[in-house]
Amino acid sequence: MEIKFNNNNGILNVALNGRLDTITAPELERFLVNNYDVTGSIVIDCEKLSYISSAGLRVLLAAQKKMQKI
């Protein structure tokens, strides 16, 4: 999986490419955890993902819950 991102006026835009699965989900989770405090909101573009496993969905849902608390 490839993670491309840019921070534009407090909005972190994250574009994912490839497979978000059991192997790559921890990489995305680490990336998001490291960026929660530097942004006001996160937009995740999944258009170029070819596959999302339940592990990947768990990371996306956890990020959504975390951002609601901020």
Side-chain angles (χ1 to χ4, degrees):
M1 179 185 65
E2 180 182 15
I3 301 173
K4 293 183 180 180
F5 65 95
N6 66 23
N7 195 335
N8 188 10
N9 295 326
I11 300 172
L12 181 63
N13 294 296
V14 181
L16 305 175
N17 188 356
R19 294 175 56 92
L20 180 53
D21 55 23
T22 305
I23 304 298
T24 59
E27 176 186 357
L28 177 60
E29 185 172 34
R30 280 189 302 274
F31 173 82
L32 293 173
V33 166
N34 289 333
N35 285 284
Y36 286 139
D37 295 334
V38 297
T39 186
S41 42
I42 298 174
V43 176
I44 301 177
D45 179 357
C46 298
E47 181 180 357
K48 294 187 178 179
L49 282 180
S50 59
Y51 176 78
I52 303 175
S53 73
S54 59
L57 289 174
R58 182 191 59 77
V59 171
L60 295 177
L61 289 171
Q64 189 265 338
K65 286 182 181 180
K66 174 69 175 176
M67 292 307 295
Q68 282 184 336
K69 292 180 182 179
I70 294 178

